[in-house]
Amino acid sequence: MEKKAIHHLLLKSCFLRDLGLFHGKMGISLFFYHYSQYTANPVYSDFAGDLLDDIWKNIHNRMPDTFESGLTGLAWGIEYLIQNNFVSGNGNEICEEIDERVMSLDPCRITPKFIEKELEGFLHYVLIRTLGTIKQHSFLPFDKMYRDDLFRVFLSLQHHEKINKSCRRLIQQYLDFATDKQELNYIPHLSFFINDSKIDENNILLSPLGLRNGVAGMLYKQINQLTS
């Protein structure tokens, strides 16, 4: 089944319109970098790089800021690749425009809908960007005023009734770092975004392609179990 699924991804991924982390080309690119490492076959990393090039060619100003299919998810993917030495680059330079766009949003006006749908992804984005700058001994992402606003908002959200456990953990990681500026206890992992739904092996060709509920996520779980 693995060969059939890989072949399906290689054939169909280039035609996806979704560029995003969960269901689109970014998530699939991340998988193929791992798969290249797993198989010691550079063909797969070359394909992952082609997907990445296509993503950057097609980013546009009308893309949403969302994590699942938008800009903050793309920024997470780029930082993930840099921090895992799949690609080289400076996260601050690559993600500068995304960071500036995010800073135009007022964190003090977070809505209940944002808390329910977007907060967890936003936290992942803030944390991986912060971690990236620490690893590269660079200046922190966002200006001081925005970071202060984030601290106050995250502090106020700690005990919000609609905050789930994973969000609460991510908030605490940011607050701990912002308080002592010594260590950020955040380890980026693709498993954050892959759920436990199963794909019918007989219907691989009809299944979604991406990390979330898709073929790439299913394959990543399999190789991760074999190598962990």
Side-chain angles (χ1 to χ4, degrees):
M1 184 187 74
E2 180 181 310
K3 288 184 178 180
K4 183 178 180 180
I6 289 294
H7 185 65
H8 181 51
L9 279 180
L10 290 171
L11 282 177
K12 298 295 185 180
S13 298
C14 294
F15 300 103
L16 278 176
R17 300 181 108 186
D18 190 327
L19 305 180
L21 178 62
F22 280 19
H23 311 290
K25 289 181 178 178
M26 177 57 82
I28 296 169
S29 176
L30 300 185
F31 160 73
F32 271 115
Y33 276 112
H34 277 286
Y35 195 69
S36 178
Q37 190 177 65
Y38 170 70
T39 59
N41 189 338
V43 167
Y44 298 116
S45 60
D46 289 343
F47 182 76
D50 289 341
L51 287 177
L52 202 59
D53 289 341
D54 193 55
I55 289 168
W56 291 114
K57 288 177 185 176
N58 288 283
I59 287 180
H60 52 81
N61 292 331
R62 298 185 305 280
M63 282 191 71
D65 301 315
T66 57
F67 194 76
E68 183 171 334
S69 298
L71 292 172
T72 52
L74 296 184
W76 191 96
I78 287 298
E79 277 287 3
Y80 181 87
L81 291 172
I82 294 171
Q83 292 178 32
N84 284 278
N85 299 312
F86 288 122
V87 301
S88 59
N90 183 298
N92 274 351
E93 293 177 0
I94 297 171
C95 299
E96 181 179 10
E97 291 186 15
I98 298 175
D99 291 344
E100 288 179 354
R101 181 161 161 177
V102 167
M103 282 193 292
S104 69
L105 306 173
D106 185 356
C108 298
R109 301 187 67 181
I110 288 180
T111 65
K113 183 179 179 181
F114 183 90
I115 291 174
E116 185 178 353
K117 301 291 186 181
E118 300 295 337
L119 178 60
E120 187 167 348
F122 180 74
L123 286 162
H124 279 293
Y125 155 74
V126 169
L127 287 166
I128 201 169
R129 285 288 294 115
T130 303
L131 182 63
T133 60
I134 294 170
K135 287 188 172 186
Q136 294 199 333
H137 306 287
S138 184
F139 55 88
L140 291 172
F142 324 119
D143 59 37
K144 185 178 184 305
M145 182 181 296
Y146 194 78
R147 294 198 305 271
D148 289 344
D149 286 343
L150 287 179
F151 182 84
R152 286 193 295 271
V153 169
F154 292 160
L155 193 63
S156 70
L157 288 174
Q158 267 187 309
H159 306 295
H160 194 286
E161 59 181 7
K162 290 191 175 182
I163 300 294
N164 60 36
K165 288 183 179 179
S166 56
C167 270
R168 208 179 303 279
R169 183 185 67 251
L170 295 172
I171 286 173
Q172 192 59 56
Q173 288 172 352
Y174 184 83
L175 293 176
D176 288 345
F177 167 75
T179 299
D180 59 34
K181 296 284 193 307
Q182 291 183 4
E183 183 177 356
L184 179 57
N185 184 29
Y186 177 73
I187 302 174
H189 206 287
L190 295 191
S191 296
F192 291 153
F193 316 123
I194 301 172
N195 57 27
D196 294 326
S197 63
K198 294 184 178 180
I199 291 177
D200 186 349
E201 296 182 13
N202 297 317
N203 290 308
I204 287 290
L205 300 184
L206 300 177
S207 301
L209 301 179
L211 281 180
R212 176 68 61 93
N213 300 324
V215 176
M218 175 196 72
L219 290 169
Y220 177 79
K221 282 197 299 185
Q222 290 178 0
I223 66 172
N224 190 52
Q225 289 169 357
L226 292 172
T227 56
S228 60

